[in-house]
Amino acid sequence: MSKKVSGFSKFNSEEKINWLANNYFSDKKKGIAILKQYLNQDQKLQDLHNEFIENTISNFYIPYAIAPNFIINEKAYAIPMAIEESSVVAAASLVAKFWSTRGGFQTKVISTTKVGQIHFMYEDNFEKLTTYFEEIKSQLFKITEPLTQNMRNRGGGIIDIELRNKTIDLDNYYQLHITFETADSMGANFINSCLETIANAFKNEQIKIIMSILSNYVPECLVRAEVTCDIKDFFEKDAEHYAQKFIQAVQIANIEPYRAVTHNKGIMNGIDAVVLATGNDFRAVAAGAHAYASRSGKYKSLTNAKIENGKFYFWIEIPLSLGTVGGLTSLHPLAKLSLEILQQPTAKELMQIIAVAGLAQNFAALKALTTTGIQQGHMKMHLMNILNQLEANVNEKEIIVEKFQGKTISHNAISQALHNLRTSS
Amino acid sequence: MSKKVSGFSKFNSEEKINWLANNYFSDKKKGIAILKQYLNQDQKLQDLHNEFIENTISNFYIPYAIAPNFIINEKAYAIPMAIEESSVVAAASLVAKFWSTRGGFQTKVISTTKVGQIHFMYEDNFEKLTTYFEEIKSQLFKITEPLTQNMRNRGGGIIDIELRNKTIDLDNYYQLHITFETADSMGANFINSCLETIANAFKNEQIKIIMSILSNYVPECLVRAEVTCDIKDFFEKDAEHYAQKFIQAVQIANIEPYRAVTHNKGIMNGIDAVVLATGNDFRAVAAGAHAYASRSGKYKSLTNAKIENGKFYFWIEIPLSLGTVGGLTSLHPLAKLSLEILQQPTAKELMQIIAVAGLAQNFAALKALTTTGIQQGHMKMHLMNILNQLEANVNEKEIIVEKFQGKTISHNAISQALHNLRTSS
């Protein structure tokens, strides 16, 4: 049996599934049933989802949940999150409530500039290149006018085109470094279309274009979110002690990359969940955020904390390139509904909401880590997952959860306890 | 109307949805219908998905697709991908086919060590601490034995416990830096349980534990994937020219962070799609990968390329901490099916498959960027998305696609063309 296939993309959904079943399923009937069980009954809706990408054969479910009680700049939000990891939404909800009685979250957008680059090789002298660039620059703006017209009407467009000499890093290597404002759209298609049009007009016998592409590094598309309270309100007892410990945990993430990566991973749990739920691109956001965390030459925390004049401050600054129009935001019915739940935010408002989701997640993680430890909260969900895996019924679940309260949970121990329970009854 | 809510997590699914509708939906009936339309008809299956996280109200669909024709170490694979971004699966399929006639992908696991740390403060002298640590070290192993028993049976466990003096970075700050082998599980719960148990036994009057937590930075859980061919087979014409240009594109990503971030983002399109489809944690994988990209002090490409003795080489080295047992891998029916499609890989095998998915994605991006540009491929999907948004029917789609072949696509232009079509007919 050859597992090679030609023209797979031309197969219809049924044929794709059958080919897969014939070649890769151990139990064909069962495998096909699983794929089909996840298809939507409404064929028109299923067709819509099928067309988002290529070779679609089913829908992968990510739990879609709500974290209520967020107060951001005095306004109430319930934040939709799409995430498969337990504890993330519970943590968001708890932290939202905690800060809702302490002034809520304060946020602001610092900047919204995005970047695209035309990378090229040029072997002649730099002065000649500069002259050529200065001569052609206004024309480069002009030829993109049909492309940028709509964006300019919405307050965006090309901000500047800059020639950059990078020959110190790589022989003959230069860039057109182009800055954009893309209003409420993420702008990837817009930026790439502009870049390719510009590159086409800019190239000549001596200028060899290597590639033209937007950058997902957006350190000037930056948002800040903050919480603050009197130290005494930080914790029910020993508030100052725990506030100090919290700050030490942030300091550690600032000097120790092994910790910083996990610290920021927790932040991204919150951020990616809202990015996904609103139809934005979490790979782009994650790449930009982690690269920003390493901008000093050392990979560091994206959040900071301090105590000043008896007050506790905790904040995040993170680059977020997001859209609330275009792309999946208006195509995926649940992404669209997420934006409705968030009260139809502009891209700038969405940046602030998502920064809050990240800060909240980090607050929950640091508070748990510096007090009870992370496992206490995780373990209950972990226990339920193990029980589901072992197909425990409602009654068995209750008995086992009771039995393991405060005890260390391992797959082995649960499996044993369930076995004992089943054989004894 | 107050949007604050108490006891939300205790509401049943229906009550959660109603609260949300009453407080945040502009059209309650329509919003509720959308949420419910995504619920599975099979209540038992829906309950399973609801329990993965907290406050679940629906299922967020990510398209689940197949990229066939991958040859990895002589073995054929069809790779399941869960991703909402168009072109990713198409690119994977094309690249798989391209390399299937050129020897396929060669991969190897370099290392599989994972890390957890106990972060603590200690104000006395280091020698005393060292003596205490040496005395207690064997006991720290011993007290974790009940926890590590299963893992040791599977060839894993705690490799070493090391005392690290970090006072040069932060006053009084030390770590127990602990290395683990977690066999086929990702190991987060296992590592965190071990750490908390060790921290509990290790702490004393002078040793103040700040926190105990696994690290998602896993530079020693590393995998390599590579493709190679004669230069002449690289491209149908001007093969050497295009191979050189391809290598220049990789060099640029190595020296220019604005490019490196986007370059690696494309890699993560492939990696995260398979990570998600197999029930693994893409935030953890992304954090580890991007931090690894910045390990030299400058954020760089995760892939490399060279020409040597008439041959083209292209490879990736990336840290990937994955599981094929435990967590969602065995709970989410589609994640489980993904592992079946991948022929029940061990964690090591899955590392190799996922590294290939990343390398393939980068190959597709660089090949498109250095030849036709990225927009040609993107634009067809972009056009279909716009047409879906404008609710074009099959007939209208055909006419518009034909009309815009080779032309620049903008929302405005499509909308205008569709309007003209509709008013003229």
Side-chain angles (χ1 to χ4, degrees):
Chain A
M1 180 184 65
S2 160
K3 294 185 174 192
K4 276 206 173 184
V5 57
S6 271
F8 186 74
S9 65
K10 302 272 185 292
F11 289 2
N12 66 32
S13 186
E14 191 83 20
E15 291 165 335
K16 284 193 182 88
I17 291 175
N18 286 336
W19 178 84
L20 192 65
N22 285 328
N23 287 278
Y24 289 101
F25 286 176
S26 56
D27 182 338
K28 289 182 204 183
K29 225 172 131 183
K30 194 176 156 203
I32 291 172
I34 292 171
L35 287 175
K36 291 199 170 169
Q37 158 181 59
Y38 283 102
L39 291 175
N40 202 285
Q41 306 291 314
D42 179 341
Q43 189 59 47
K44 213 180 136 195
L45 184 66
Q46 186 57 51
D47 287 343
L48 173 74
H49 283 277
N50 287 348
E51 281 187 27
F52 288 159
I53 67 167
E54 311 79 18
N55 291 354
T56 313
I57 55 168
S58 194
N59 308 297
F60 194 85
Y61 282 16
I62 305 280
Y64 181 81
I66 290 291
N69 292 325
F70 276 94
I71 306 292
I72 306 175
N73 302 337
E74 320 291 321
K75 190 171 165 185
Y77 290 91
I79 299 187
M81 305 180 102
I83 186 147
E84 86 296 346
E85 184 175 343
S86 63
S87 304
V88 172
V89 175
S93 306
L94 282 172
V95 172
K97 204 158 199 180
F98 179 89
W99 285 106
S100 72
T101 60
R102 288 162 178 82
F105 293 80
Q106 305 300 323
T107 62
K108 69 171 180 211
V109 170
I110 295 170
S111 50
T112 57
T113 302
K114 296 169 190 184
V115 169
Q117 295 177 318
I118 296 165
H119 307 269
F120 64 96
M121 297 292 169
Y122 171 83
E123 298 190 8
D124 209 343
N125 81 61
F126 183 50
E127 237 169 272
K128 260 174 73 183
L129 179 63
T130 310
T131 309
Y132 170 70
F133 170 69
E134 290 304 338
E135 276 167 16
I136 204 174
K137 187 172 173 180
S138 64
Q139 199 192 318
L140 298 179
F141 276 97
K142 199 162 180 63
I143 52 151
T144 57
E145 277 179 3
L147 283 172
T148 60
Q149 188 191 332
N150 256 5
M151 193 59 89
R152 281 182 285 120
N153 291 342
R154 287 149 56 200
I158 300 173
I159 300 170
D160 197 13
I161 307 175
E162 209 185 302
L163 173 65
R164 290 193 173 178
N165 184 342
K166 306 290 279 186
T167 51
I168 198 166
D169 292 318
L170 184 65
D171 284 351
N172 308 320
Y173 169 43
Y174 299 85
Q175 303 168 342
L176 293 187
H177 182 96
I178 307 179
T179 42
F180 296 86
E181 170 60 51
T182 62
D184 284 331
S185 69
M186 192 272 200
N189 271 318
F190 167 70
I191 292 173
N192 287 334
S193 294
C194 288
L195 293 173
E196 291 191 4
T197 303
I198 292 170
N200 215 28
F202 182 67
K203 74 178 177 198
N204 62 26
E205 281 293 298
Q206 291 183 291
I207 292 173
K208 317 273 186 217
I209 307 288
I210 302 297
M211 59 191 161
S212 308
I213 183 85
L214 94 158
S215 176
N216 294 120
Y217 189 48
V218 284
E220 285 174 34
C221 186
L222 202 65
V223 59
R224 180 189 165 102
E226 185 181 86
V227 286
T228 183
C229 69
D230 288 340
I231 294 185
K232 66 173 168 40
D233 297 329
F234 183 76
F235 213 73
E236 49 270 36
K237 56 171 190 170
D238 293 336
E240 173 128 21
H241 165 73
Y242 283 109
Q244 292 288 4
K245 213 174 159 190
F246 188 100
I247 284 169
Q248 283 174 321
V250 177
Q251 285 172 333
I252 288 170
N254 261 318
I255 57 140
E256 167 58 67
Y258 274 97
R259 171 57 197 150
V261 171
T262 317
H263 178 99
N264 290 342
K265 186 275 183 191
I267 293 171
M268 298 313 287
N269 277 345
I271 288 186
D272 286 348
V274 193
V275 167
L276 197 53
T278 56
N280 279 283
D281 180 338
F282 66 80
R283 280 89 52 213
V285 165
H290 291 295
Y292 187 73
S294 74
R295 70 194 180 286
S296 67
K298 193 168 175 176
Y299 187 93
K300 291 185 174 187
S301 166
L302 288 163
T303 56
N304 267 295
K306 67 174 179 187
I307 290 175
E308 211 173 82
N309 301 327
K311 292 193 86 151
F312 168 85
Y313 296 86
F314 180 51
W315 70 97
I316 187 170
E317 273 185 27
I318 187 168
L320 291 173
S321 172
L322 303 167
T324 55
V325 300
L328 273 202
T329 55
S330 39
L331 283 175
H332 193 308
L334 266 186
K336 227 156 123 179
L337 190 69
S338 293
L339 291 173
E340 184 176 331
I341 294 169
L342 294 174
Q343 302 160 68
Q344 306 296 358
T346 61
K348 279 187 181 182
E349 285 163 347
L350 187 58
M351 286 168 75
Q352 296 170 73
I353 293 164
I354 291 183
V356 164
L359 187 68
Q361 213 53 228
N362 193 223
F363 183 80
L366 293 175
K367 205 168 179 199
L369 281 170
T370 56
T371 55
T372 56
I374 204 91
Q375 286 306 83
Q376 191 175 301
H378 275 188
M379 273 305 167
K380 206 190 149 191
M381 289 303 291
H382 186 45
L383 174 56
M384 289 311 289
N385 283 345
I386 294 173
L387 287 170
N388 280 331
Q389 208 178 324
L390 298 170
E391 295 182 353
N393 63 34
V394 177
N395 189 30
E396 289 168 341
K397 281 181 190 173
E398 260 181 36
I399 296 169
I400 302 278
V401 168
E402 177 72 26
K403 192 178 157 70
F404 276 84
Q405 217 138 60
K407 295 208 184 129
T408 303
I409 285 154
S410 72
H411 195 283
N412 202 32
I414 306 302
S415 167
Q416 194 60 49
L418 194 64
H419 177 78
N420 292 346
L421 183 66
R422 282 169 179 174
T423 49
S424 72
S425 60
Chain B
M1 179 183 66
S2 161
K3 294 185 174 192
K4 275 207 174 183
V5 57
S6 272
F8 185 75
S9 65
K10 303 272 186 291
F11 290 2
N12 66 32
S13 187
E14 191 84 19
E15 291 166 335
K16 284 192 180 90
I17 291 175
N18 286 337
W19 178 84
L20 192 65
N22 286 329
N23 287 279
Y24 288 102
F25 287 175
S26 56
D27 182 339
K28 288 182 205 182
K29 226 172 130 182
K30 194 176 156 202
I32 292 173
I34 292 171
L35 287 175
K36 292 201 169 168
Q37 157 183 60
Y38 283 102
L39 291 175
N40 202 285
Q41 305 291 314
D42 178 341
Q43 190 58 47
K44 213 180 135 195
L45 183 66
Q46 187 56 52
D47 286 344
L48 173 74
H49 281 278
N50 287 349
E51 281 187 26
F52 288 159
I53 67 168
E54 311 80 18
N55 290 354
T56 314
I57 55 169
S58 195
N59 309 297
F60 194 85
Y61 282 16
I62 306 281
Y64 180 81
I66 290 291
N69 293 325
F70 275 94
I71 306 292
I72 306 175
N73 302 338
E74 321 292 318
K75 190 171 164 185
Y77 290 91
I79 299 187
M81 305 180 101
I83 185 148
E84 87 296 347
E85 184 175 344
S86 62
S87 303
V88 172
V89 175
S93 307
L94 281 173
V95 172
K97 204 159 199 179
F98 179 88
W99 285 106
S100 72
T101 60
R102 288 163 179 81
F105 293 81
Q106 305 300 322
T107 62
K108 67 170 182 213
V109 170
I110 296 170
S111 50
T112 57
T113 302
K114 295 168 189 184
V115 168
Q117 295 177 318
I118 296 166
H119 306 270
F120 64 96
M121 296 292 169
Y122 171 82
E123 298 191 6
D124 209 344
N125 81 60
F126 183 49
E127 238 169 274
K128 260 175 71 184
L129 179 63
T130 310
T131 308
Y132 170 70
F133 170 69
E134 291 303 338
E135 275 168 17
I136 204 174
K137 187 172 172 180
S138 64
Q139 198 191 318
L140 298 180
F141 276 98
K142 200 162 179 62
I143 51 151
T144 56
E145 277 178 5
L147 283 173
T148 60
Q149 188 192 331
N150 255 4
M151 194 58 91
R152 281 182 285 119
N153 291 342
R154 286 151 54 201
I158 300 174
I159 300 170
D160 197 14
I161 306 176
E162 209 186 304
L163 173 66
R164 291 192 173 180
N165 183 341
K166 306 290 280 185
T167 52
I168 197 166
D169 292 319
L170 184 65
D171 284 350
N172 309 320
Y173 170 42
Y174 300 84
Q175 304 168 343
L176 294 187
H177 182 95
I178 308 180
T179 42
F180 296 86
E181 170 60 52
T182 62
D184 284 332
S185 69
M186 194 270 200
N189 271 318
F190 167 71
I191 293 174
N192 287 334
S193 294
C194 289
L195 292 173
E196 290 191 5
T197 302
I198 292 171
N200 215 28
F202 181 67
K203 74 178 177 197
N204 63 26
E205 280 294 298
Q206 290 183 293
I207 291 172
K208 317 272 185 218
I209 307 290
I210 302 297
M211 59 190 161
S212 308
I213 183 85
L214 95 159
S215 176
N216 294 121
Y217 189 47
V218 283
E220 286 173 32
C221 186
L222 201 66
V223 58
R224 181 191 166 100
E226 185 179 84
V227 286
T228 183
C229 69
D230 287 340
I231 295 184
K232 67 174 167 40
D233 297 329
F234 182 76
F235 213 73
E236 49 270 36
K237 56 171 190 172
D238 292 336
E240 172 128 23
H241 165 72
Y242 283 110
Q244 292 288 2
K245 213 174 158 189
F246 187 100
I247 284 169
Q248 284 174 320
V250 177
Q251 285 172 334
I252 288 170
N254 260 318
I255 57 141
E256 167 58 65
Y258 274 98
R259 172 57 197 150
V261 171
T262 317
H263 178 99
N264 290 342
K265 186 274 183 192
I267 293 171
M268 299 313 287
N269 277 344
I271 287 185
D272 286 348
V274 192
V275 167
L276 197 53
T278 56
N280 278 283
D281 180 339
F282 67 80
R283 280 88 52 213
V285 165
H290 291 297
Y292 187 73
S294 74
R295 71 194 181 285
S296 68
K298 193 167 175 178
Y299 186 94
K300 291 185 174 186
S301 166
L302 288 163
T303 56
N304 267 296
K306 67 174 178 186
I307 291 175
E308 210 172 81
N309 300 328
K311 292 193 87 152
F312 167 85
Y313 296 85
F314 180 49
W315 70 98
I316 188 170
E317 273 185 25
I318 187 168
L320 290 173
S321 172
L322 303 167
T324 55
V325 300
L328 272 202
T329 55
S330 40
L331 283 174
H332 193 307
L334 266 187
K336 225 156 123 181
L337 190 68
S338 293
L339 292 173
E340 184 177 331
I341 295 170
L342 293 174
Q343 302 161 67
Q344 306 296 358
T346 61
K348 279 187 181 183
E349 285 164 347
L350 187 59
M351 286 168 77
Q352 297 171 73
I353 294 163
I354 291 182
V356 163
L359 186 68
Q361 213 53 228
N362 194 224
F363 183 80
L366 293 176
K367 205 167 179 199
L369 282 169
T370 55
T371 55
T372 56
I374 204 91
Q375 286 306 81
Q376 192 175 301
H378 274 188
M379 273 305 166
K380 208 191 148 189
M381 288 305 290
H382 186 46
L383 174 56
M384 289 311 290
N385 283 345
I386 293 174
L387 286 170
N388 280 331
Q389 207 177 325
L390 298 169
E391 296 182 354
N393 63 34
V394 177
N395 189 30
E396 289 168 340
K397 280 180 189 174
E398 258 180 37
I399 295 169
I400 301 278
V401 168
E402 176 73 27
K403 192 178 155 71
F404 276 84
Q405 217 137 62
K407 292 205 186 134
T408 303
I409 286 155
S410 71
H411 195 284
N412 202 32
I414 306 301
S415 166
Q416 194 60 50
L418 194 64
H419 176 79
N420 291 346
L421 183 67
R422 283 169 179 173
T423 49
S424 73
S425 59

